[in-house]
Every structure is written in C-alpha cells, then in structure tokens.
Amino acid sequence: MPSSFDVRFRVNGGTVSLTVPPEALLLDVLRDRLGLKGAKRSCDMQVCGACTVLVDGDAVSACTYLAVEVDGREVTTVEGLEQAEQLSPLQQAFVDRGSVQCGFCTAGMLMTASALLAEDRTPTREQVLHELRGNLCRCTGYQKIVEAILGCANGDSRPVPHDHAPRVEFHVVGRSVPRRDAVEKVTGRARYVSDLTHPGMAHARLLRSPYAHARIVRIDTSRARQLAGVHAVLTGADLQAVCDPYHGPAFRDRPMLAIDVARYEGEPVVAVAAEDDATADRALELIEIKWEELPAVTTLAEALEPGAALVHERTPLAGHFADLSSLRPEPGTNVCHRFDYARGRVDDALAAADVVVEDTFAFPRVQHVSMEPHAALAAWDDEGGVTVWASTQNPFSVRVELAKMFGVPLGRIRIVVPLVGGGFGGKTYAKLEPIVVALARVARRPVRLIASVDDAFRTVRRCDARTTVRLGFAGDGTLRAVDCRGDFDVGAYADIGPRIIQKGTYTATGPYRVPHVRLASRAVYTNTTPGGAFRGFGVPQLAWAVESLVDEAARRLERDPVELRRQNLLNHGEEFAPGDTPIDGKFEESLSRAAEGIRWTQAAAADRARGVAMMLKASIAPSVSEAIVRLHADASVTVLASTVELGQGSRTVMAQIAAEVLAVPLDCVTVLTPDTSVTPYDQTTSSSRSTTLVGRAVQEAAADVVAQLIRIASIRLGVRGSELAIEHGAVVHGRDRLEYAALVRDHFGMAGGELIGRGVVAPGPTAAPLGGSTPFWETAVGAAEISLDAETGAITVEDYVSVADVGRCINPIQCEGQDEGAVMQGLGHTLLEEMVYNGGQLLNGTLVDYRVPRAGDVPARLACRFVENGDGPGPFGAKGAGEGSLVPVSPAVGNALARLTGVRLRELPLTPERVWRALRGKNGV
C-alpha cells in the first residue's frame, strides 16, 4: 500500500487538494489540516455523533471515516450551513428555541438534522427521534433540540410557549433572550481547550495501570526517551525533582502519576509529551513495566471487611478547604472520613413510633459523560510563570493546587477557561492540569493533553453508596424520627468525597419537619476510579432511600403519598437545623403543582401508575464570589466574573443582571470568560450557586456603578441623588436627561476613563452544623407516570413533571433546558447507567458498553415548571437551579413501579433484567 494518497474533494463549496496517509481520518484532516473545528472529537468510535459531517448529503461519523474515502466527493461541515453570513433556518431555530447548552454536541446534531430535513421536509417526531439515535447530548435533555428541528420543518423557529409569563416590572430579567454564545456554537466558531493550539506545542499521552492494585517493581522508559520526536517522559519516580506530586481538595492523597503503587485500573503511571499524538502513542508502546499485583478491594463490602487490604497505608495530608479542616479518617481501615449529626432522642422516638419503616438501598457508580472529555494546555514563560488553558469548573482551586505543587506564587499562575463542553461536577478541582504543567516544565515547551471518553471513565465518577434508613411515624402520619447510616465509595482517592458525604447526609431528612434525627456516613476508599462531585452532590444517593421509604410508610399508614408528604413539610421561614438558614421556599406550592401536573387525583390507566418524590439540598458554605462591572466611555459595559460557562448559560444571565441594573440594552453588555489574572475570585462553578452568588456580586457591582453615576449627576444638576432615576442608559431628573457617555466624559474631562463597580458576596462562617449557613435551599419535586412490559421488565416513563422552586427565572428558557437535562440525567442512573467492575477491571468504560439516555428515551411528555416567589437571596429574588430536578427522578419512578406492581426495588438502575427477576420472585417463579 502506498504511504500516502492525493485526494481532491469539495468542502463547504470550495475545492481542496491534499496528500494524506492511508490511515488518516476525515475528522483529523478537517480539524488539523483545514482548521474546521466545528466537528468535535469525543467518543472516537462512532457512538456520540459529535463529529458528524455530511458526505454527498449523507450524515457520517468523521472520527471513523477515512480521509481517502472523500476523494471526488462533497463534504459539508457545520461551518458550511451559514450562507452569506446568515444563519440557516435550522441554525436559527436552535438559537431561538434554546437548543444549545454546552455546544459540544451541537454541530453533530445540526448536521444529522440537516440530512434528515434534506430528505424529508416534514418529518414526524418519531422520525426525528429515530434519526437522532446516533447523537448524544448530556446537557439539554433533547427536548428543545427536537422542538427546534420540528419547528424548522414547520417554518417556525419561535420558542415553544411553556409555563411562564414574563414579569412586567423587569425589562431584561425574566425574559427568554437567546444565549450569548449560541451563534458561535451553531456556526462551529466556538472554541474549547481541545480546539486550541500553541506554537511549538507538544502532545501528551498517558500510560495507565492495567491492575486495580499493584506495586510498581520497575519502569524502563529508555527506549521511549530515545524515540525521535519525544520531548519528555515522566514517571512517578521523576516527579520529586519537578514538583510536590500530590494534590487533592480534601486529602492531598492523589499523585499526578502513580508513585510505587497503582491503586486502581486506569491510574496514570507514565506521561509522555511528543511532537504529535502518533509519536506519543508509539513512545507508550516502548515502555516496559514490571508489576507485583496486590490484593484489591473493589466494593464497599470488601473495603469494610475487618482486615481488608488497605488502599492507603498512611494517612495523607489534609487539603485546603476550611469546611474540611476536621477530617476524620479511621487509621488501619479504608474509611477516610466520617460524618455524624444528631438532634433529639432518636431511639426513644423510634420506640414510641406507631409505624417504623426500615430498609437498605444501593445507588450505582455512574460517569458524568461530558461530551467534551477533560483537556488542558500549559505553557511556562521566561519569568517562571505558567498559563494553563483548562476545561475546569474551578479555575481558582486549580491555581491553589498548582501553586502548592510547583512552588509558584498565585500571581504567576494563570488559569484561563474557554467554553467548557459540560461538567456536571466531573471537572471540579485539579484533574489533568498538574500533569500538563509538569510535562511543560520538563519539555520546555507548551503541552496539551486531551483525554478520551475512555480516559474520563478512569478519571472521576459519582460515588456509589449503600444506605440504611429507618423512619418513625406516629399513627396520624407525623414524621417523628429519621435514623440514616450511609457508606459512600470514594474510590482510590478522596477527591471531594468527604464534603460530598457531609453535604448529602446533612439534608437526608429532605424537606420534612423531623424533631429526632441521627445521621452517620462514611467515605470509603476502594480500588476503583476516584469518586467526585456529580450533579446533586451526595443528595441523590440519600433521597433514593428516604423518599422510597416515605412511600412505604404511606402504604403502611394507608395514606396518600402526596398528602403524607404535605403533612410533614417544613414551612417557609421555619428552621431546618439550629444556626442554619431558615427555609426560603414554599414546599407545599411545589408539591401541589407537581401533583396537579401529573394528574395525581385522577385514576391512571390500568397498565400505568404514578409516583412522586421530593428533595432538599444545601449549597456550599461558607463561600465567596466577586465581580467587577466597567462602564466605558461610550456607555458599553464589561462584566468581569469567574463563573465558568459549562452550558448552563451563566454568561447570558450575568449580562441580563447587569443590563437590568444599569438600564442599558443587553447588546451593550459583554461578559468576559474566566481568567484568574483578569477576572476576580469565585470559589467554584458548582452547587447551583452561580446565579445566586456570582449573580448577586454582579448586581452589587452594577449598583456600585449606578451609585457613581447618580453622584456625578447630582453634582452637575445640583440636586439630591434621591431625586434622580436611571432609565434607558441615562440619569433623569424631570425633563433633564444625562446620557451615561456624557456623564463619563464630563466627569473625566475627556473622552476616556471609565466607572468601575465592585461586588463581593462573602457570607462567612456561622454556627450552622457544617460551619457555614447555606446561602439558599434548593428544592424540587418530581412526579412520574410509567408503564411496564411485564414480559421483559422494561420500564417506560410516559410522563414526567418537574417543579423547581427557583425564586426567579432570570432566563426562563435556560431554566427549562437545565431542568430538562437534569431529568434526563436522572433517568440515566434510574434506568440505564452503572459502571460495572469485575475483579477490579472496569467492564464498560466506553460509550459502546455504557448506555446513556438518547433522544428516544425522552418521556412522551416532559414538563419542567417553576415556582417563582422572588424569595431567594440572589438577584431579583433568584436562587439556585439545575441540580435539584435530577434528584427526585429515581424515587419517583421507583415509587410508581411499587404502586404498579407491588414490588419495591432497592438497587439502581432499574434495568429490565432486575425488574423482571423481581416480578418473577414476587410470583414465586
């Protein structure tokens, strides 16, 4: 076979002639040779659809399509849909209908839909769902994508009206304005870390452990180091000369590369940086490692056995978070932290209860499956500073870790976060960043490391859990006591697991009034992929158990499950726990709207049943967010804030908040992307806190600018500031109208200068049980109607209603999209998802074997509704949203299944086989 081929083909209307090797993939040619980066690399195995392009009008996966096959053919990428700088009707429909979130899947979705609409201008919903079966989206929940495609086919791109009416008292807030980054995402111009390059950049690859637990006897990297084009090879033994190799937000227990011992299958052992990916791959093949396999513990039961093999022989150093300063590891065991909280007299209350329900529930290991896998690019400068472009949710936490590891002052470490292709907690805290910084220091050149989806399965996951709960009720239905004991599997390294068990366990009682409470949980090491933050942060694991048992109690008490919940709900303003924030929501309103939406009081069809569940979650505390707002000489506005755009629409929301406060058009406001050398401090983009805390900081910063404008205008007009108002970019007093630009010019005496406002939100430590009062309570209710194929055990969720108390929807269509995505993620671990291990080996660590929800899994009716009472602490009464709606999904579906069949399942996911076996067991088969 020849070593290269000449190919000539057309791309987006232009002719291209290239010489390519026979193994070259179309995706690589488009991205690296032609600079068309709209098609994304994600799964690399024709499963996710992010790389979809058209070849002669047919949708193909460019990640497996050979470049030589396009010789003489027509290729269309997402960049080719726009004509004469006008979006195509389909692209416009995606923008208008809120079909874009993180954007990493968007190009592939558009190309698949384009092929469908070219073939059939009026497809049915079923046809659309069928065509999208090869395209994954982890953010949107698919509903708005399907609506956009059908709307485009019908010639209507307008947003579908949902359960929301804009408030007339606001001119921008409360309105479904298109997101600021939608156009760049639908045109392929959006850039993620994996799209970035740097002059002289080397490409990194990792060699990972094949064993769950093994001692590294010897590593021979000599042949790899001698390979032409290799710039750096690092092992754990090399790291001491480069940096302090350990990191971690709770315990600093995780080496960037395994040192002496590998503690889980897939742990990075050797890192290579070379001139290109192919050379780096060849270098890994030349590395020889001699292993001594060690006993492994891969389940909670194994890890907690007396005398179990220890994942860590020594207690590691604590990390850098104040609320984790009292870590409680148990020496000589695999327990790295335990949390206990109690009030009242639980044993007495349970003894006196008329009904006690008790059971043990299991929640699975699941992976985030962000469409953009982890990625980082690092470059050192001549002054000893380093810049890292990272796909991270925590740029400032990453900066702290790198400063400790490399002995560099914070001011010389710059973390830049471009667009991020989904996170869901999986990109919190340092992951790949330490490795690329170390490689860049040794290689003396910039280094980029892009993980694969397979790598992501071996980087972080959700903690699985086993929970035993007892609930005690009086005969009249009053909930008297909750006793909860949970074990969380944090994997081989603690990551943020100790905080997860604290936050999740603390609210295990849910939105209910409980006088007698005893909560205990343990974070347990195992020889598996480290467990970390995931949407819901420990709450889904506990709510699955507690909400299932509330329904069991209703059955025993012969009460309606909705009414039993209603009877025990905390009231607005009532204390949840001594010293913590009073309840800021009206839980009864949320419950009533969910029950009404699912038609709870109407009889279900004979082959269907309905279930309901609730949740309560505390946000991270104590916490700090800062923002800066700059009013320029021409009255345009720049917002500097470090909340990360993961797809949730934070840049749009921050622009809306600033525009509302300053009374300027939304188009006048620019929101910068996070850059630790430019944008001010923010603790994290997680815990549903961005709109509430960062948004409030932006509101305060904008108000600071308004106060300065009022002072300037009051001096000029000779009136009190209280007599002035702002409207439409001007300060007004009666008939006098002073435009912002004129005020700034007069204030500085020239056409220059700017007014700068600062906002700081920093609620400090309190007497609350976790050391800081929650800024707000996130609450949601889920109601499901299901049907069941008794022959196969397959559950179909026919109807799902989610109601979230958000205080105020700053951008309703974005809130809807967030919650639709949350519900679909919840359906994932409810019905489909579980990371399966056997003998320490992960069996389904690819998207071929690990099943996530697809468009065809969306319920026939999915309605996301919101309670808006303006009672949150955020801007205009907003509070957190986006996580809560995931949590009730599992217990709502499980409760519906129990009501339909009389079978209570206690282990997720509710797979057809698991349900089928339970039904056979009930029938004595």
Side-chain angles (χ1 to χ4, degrees):
M1 178 183 293
S3 60
S4 63
F5 290 86
D6 293 328
V7 294
R8 182 180 173 86
F9 58 101
R10 290 177 61 79
V11 179
N12 299 332
T15 301
V16 172
S17 297
L18 296 172
T19 300
V20 299
E23 72 275 10
L25 297 171
L26 177 58
L27 182 61
D28 295 322
V29 169
L30 292 173
R31 289 176 56 82
D32 300 335
R33 300 282 296 276
L34 302 180
L36 297 170
K37 296 182 182 290
K40 302 302 183 188
R41 166 164 277 114
S42 186
C43 72
D44 272 335
M45 53 181 60
Q46 200 174 334
V47 177
C48 74
C51 65
T52 304
V53 300
L54 305 185
V55 176
D56 289 344
D58 294 326
V60 303
S61 295
C63 71
T64 57
Y65 201 94
L66 292 175
V68 294
E69 294 184 83
V70 300
D71 188 36
R73 307 178 77 175
E74 178 82 30
V75 177
T76 306
T77 72
V78 70
E79 290 89 345
L81 296 183
E82 189 178 17
Q83 298 295 324
E85 299 185 357
Q86 290 292 316
L87 297 182
S88 72
L90 183 60
Q91 289 172 310
Q92 191 65 56
F94 268 55
V95 171
D96 293 340
R97 297 211 180 219
S99 308
V100 180
Q101 287 192 30
C102 87
F104 210 77
C105 75
T106 299
M109 291 284 184
L110 285 165
M111 301 316 293
T112 297
S114 294
L116 169 63
L117 294 177
E119 182 178 334
D120 186 343
R121 288 298 309 168
T122 58
T124 64
R125 176 181 172 85
E126 289 68 29
Q127 286 176 293
V128 172
L129 295 177
H130 178 77
E131 289 301 314
L132 292 181
R133 69 194 185 281
N135 292 78
L136 296 180
C137 176
R138 199 62 159 161
C139 296
T140 67
Y142 300 101
Q143 181 150 288
K144 286 184 170 30
I145 293 173
V146 174
E147 290 174 355
I149 296 169
L150 292 173
C152 180
N154 296 327
D156 182 7
S157 69
R158 294 172 300 172
V160 175
H162 290 290
D163 187 36
H164 185 90
R167 302 296 182 97
V168 296
E169 64 263 34
F170 304 119
H171 80 281
V172 177
V173 162
R175 301 184 184 277
S176 296
V177 301
R179 54 183 301 139
R180 307 305 293 274
D181 54 14
V183 171
E184 61 180 324
K185 287 175 175 176
V186 300
T187 56
R189 293 195 289 269
R191 291 294 179 262
Y192 304 78
V193 174
S194 55
D195 299 321
L196 304 181
T197 59
H198 202 286
M201 183 184 78
H203 300 254
R205 285 285 194 267
L206 301 177
L207 183 63
R208 296 175 177 271
S209 169
Y211 298 105
H213 199 195
R215 192 175 314 282
I216 302 170
V217 178
R218 178 176 57 84
I219 301 179
D220 184 353
T221 61
S222 57
R223 290 197 297 160
R225 294 178 191 275
Q226 293 167 9
L227 182 66
V230 171
H231 300 298
V233 178
L234 279 177
T235 69
D238 301 323
L239 292 177
Q240 294 291 351
V242 179
C243 62
D244 176 350
Y246 291 94
H247 64 95
F251 287 112
R252 298 185 66 228
D253 59 353
R254 189 171 188 169
M256 67 174 79
L257 298 170
I259 297 175
D260 299 329
V261 175
R263 293 181 172 86
Y264 70 96
E265 182 257 328
E267 180 168 8
V269 179
V270 184
V272 171
E275 62 185 9
D276 53 40
D277 292 330
T279 302
D281 287 333
R282 285 197 296 273
L284 295 185
E285 295 172 357
L286 298 175
I287 296 169
E288 297 178 4
I289 304 179
K290 182 178 180 181
W291 300 92
E292 177 190 334
E293 196 167 359
L294 300 172
V297 290
T298 58
T299 66
L300 283 167
E302 292 173 354
L304 292 170
E305 279 287 327
L310 297 180
V311 179
H312 293 268
E313 298 282 343
R314 295 174 294 178
T315 302
L317 297 172
H320 61 271
F321 283 114
D323 65 321
L324 297 177
S325 59
S326 58
L327 290 166
R328 297 169 57 194
E330 296 182 0
T333 75
N334 286 309
V335 176
C336 70
H337 180 54
R338 67 177 302 134
F339 171 74
D340 296 281
Y341 173 73
R343 64 175 182 265
R345 299 183 303 278
V346 172
D347 291 330
D348 292 345
L350 288 171
D354 295 299
V355 171
V356 176
V357 289
E358 178 179 4
D359 218 326
T360 299
F361 293 78
F363 196 98
R365 300 177 176 116
V366 293
Q367 221 285 321
H368 306 73
V369 193
S370 300
M371 293 303 296
E372 177 207 27
H374 301 82
L377 191 164
W380 289 85
D381 59 39
D382 294 336
E383 297 180 357
V386 64
T387 299
V388 183
W389 293 264
S391 177
T392 180
Q393 297 176 231
N394 300 73
F396 284 90
S397 290
V398 170
R399 186 177 69 157
V400 168
E401 292 275 25
L402 295 178
K404 283 185 178 180
M405 299 175 76
F406 291 90
V408 177
L410 292 174
R412 290 192 177 180
I413 299 176
R414 181 186 180 196
I415 311 296
V416 182
V417 185
L419 293 171
V420 175
F424 318 114
K427 293 174 181 173
T428 50
Y429 312 107
K431 295 294 186 287
L432 302 184
E433 296 87 358
I435 296 175
V436 294
V437 172
L439 282 171
R441 174 175 270 187
V442 173
R444 298 176 181 270
R445 65 179 60 227
V447 173
R448 188 185 69 185
L449 175 57
I450 303 172
S452 65
V453 169
D454 298 15
D455 292 333
F457 276 90
R458 292 161 176 85
T459 300
V460 67
R461 59 172 174 83
R462 190 193 287 277
C463 300
D464 55 300
R466 186 165 295 273
T467 307
T468 299
V469 176
R470 287 191 294 168
L471 306 182
F473 287 82
D476 66 355
T478 302
L479 178 57
R480 301 294 300 161
V482 172
D483 185 15
C484 175
R485 291 172 286 116
D487 290 319
F488 288 71
D489 174 359
V490 301
Y493 299 104
D495 199 273
I496 200 62
R499 180 183 280 165
I500 292 170
I501 74 163
Q502 290 184 179
K503 300 293 287 187
T505 305
Y506 176 57
T507 55
T509 53
Y512 308 114
R513 183 184 303 105
V514 190
H516 305 282
V517 176
R518 181 168 59 210
L519 310 174
S521 56
R522 297 183 290 185
V524 183
Y525 284 130
T526 62
N527 293 113
T528 61
T529 296
F534 197 142
R535 205 173 198 168
F537 210 74
V539 177
Q541 293 92 318
L542 279 300
W544 162 235
V546 172
E547 286 294 307
S548 296
L549 285 180
V550 171
D551 256 46
E552 281 299 295
R555 183 183 62 82
R556 293 267 302 276
L557 289 163
E558 298 182 344
R559 292 285 303 278
D560 179 279
V562 168
E563 295 309 315
L564 183 63
R565 286 175 168 83
R566 191 191 310 276
Q567 175 183 342
N568 289 286
L569 290 175
L570 288 160
N571 293 318
H572 188 278
E574 191 171 350
E575 181 181 78
F576 174 80
D580 214 331
T581 304
I583 295 300
D584 57 10
K586 297 179 179 178
F587 299 155
E588 185 173 351
E589 182 178 353
S590 299
L591 179 60
S592 295
R593 291 187 61 186
E596 178 185 1
I598 204 71
R599 304 173 303 282
W600 183 263
T601 58
Q602 301 176 26
D607 61 344
R608 295 189 181 190
R610 301 178 184 126
V612 68
M614 303 185 71
M615 62 77 62
L616 181 72
K617 179 181 180 292
S619 188
I620 188 172
S623 190
V624 178
S625 293
E626 299 178 285
I628 294 171
V629 171
R630 299 164 60 188
L631 179 68
H632 303 291
D634 63 352
S636 63
V637 177
T638 299
V639 175
L640 288 78
S642 292
T643 188
V644 175
E645 179 55 76
L646 308 164
Q648 78 279 42
S650 60
R651 288 169 61 189
T652 306
V653 165
M654 299 307 151
Q656 287 181 265
I657 293 167
E660 187 72 47
V661 175
L662 289 164
V664 298
L666 187 60
D667 290 343
C668 290
V669 181
T670 299
V671 180
L672 299 188
T673 55
D675 180 336
T676 58
S677 292
V678 177
T679 55
Y681 181 86
D682 181 46
Q683 182 170 335
T684 177
T685 303
S686 61
S687 198
S688 303
R689 64 185 293 283
S690 290
T691 296
T692 306
L693 298 183
V694 182
R696 200 168 98 202
V698 169
Q699 184 183 34
E700 291 183 1
D704 186 1
V705 172
V706 169
Q708 294 176 57
L709 288 167
I710 294 291
R711 285 196 298 271
I712 296 168
S714 68
I715 293 171
R716 178 170 174 182
L717 295 173
V719 300
R720 292 190 301 269
S722 59
E723 299 177 32
L724 301 175
I726 61 167
E727 63 178 38
H728 306 302
V731 178
V732 296
H733 178 259
R735 295 184 178 181
D736 292 325
R737 179 181 179 85
L738 303 177
E739 301 288 339
Y740 291 169
L743 280 172
V744 172
R745 183 174 60 251
D746 289 352
H747 179 65
F748 289 102
M750 59 180 292
E754 58 188 22
L755 302 184
I756 301 175
R758 185 183 180 207
V760 179
V761 178
T766 69
L770 296 184
S773 299
T774 182
F776 59 89
W777 297 101
E778 185 171 7
T779 184
V781 184
E785 180 173 305
I786 71 164
S787 62
L788 176 69
D789 185 337
E791 294 298 318
T792 65
I795 295 171
T796 298
V797 179
E798 306 283 358
D799 189 355
Y800 194 92
V801 176
S802 171
V803 178
D805 186 341
V806 301
R808 175 87 66 217
C809 284
I810 304 295
N811 188 311
I813 199 168
Q814 288 189 174
C815 287
E816 288 173 2
Q818 280 277 285
D819 274 19
E820 288 166 6
V823 169
M824 289 307 294
Q825 274 197 335
L827 285 176
H829 65 242
T830 299
L831 301 177
L832 304 168
E833 296 180 48
E834 181 178 19
M835 290 171 63
V836 179
Y837 281 84
N838 183 20
Q841 300 296 306
L842 179 59
L843 301 184
N844 61 337
T846 73
L847 289 180
V848 170
D849 303 308
Y850 186 89
R851 171 87 154 80
V852 300
R854 295 178 180 270
D857 297 311
V858 178
R861 176 174 175 264
L862 171 58
C864 291
R865 299 173 176 176
F866 303 98
V867 171
E868 294 185 77
N869 291 314
D871 51 7
F876 311 103
K879 49 192 167 186
E883 285 185 278
S885 294
L886 171 145
V887 178
V889 176
S890 296
V893 172
N895 289 337
L897 179 65
R899 287 165 64 84
L900 181 63
T901 66
V903 172
R904 170 68 61 185
L905 268 72
R906 299 159 184 83
E907 185 173 3
L908 295 175
L910 306 177
T911 60
E913 179 182 356
R914 204 165 265 159
V915 174
W916 180 80
R917 291 187 181 279
L919 292 174
R920 287 173 61 87
K922 176 195 174 189
N923 297 327
V925 179

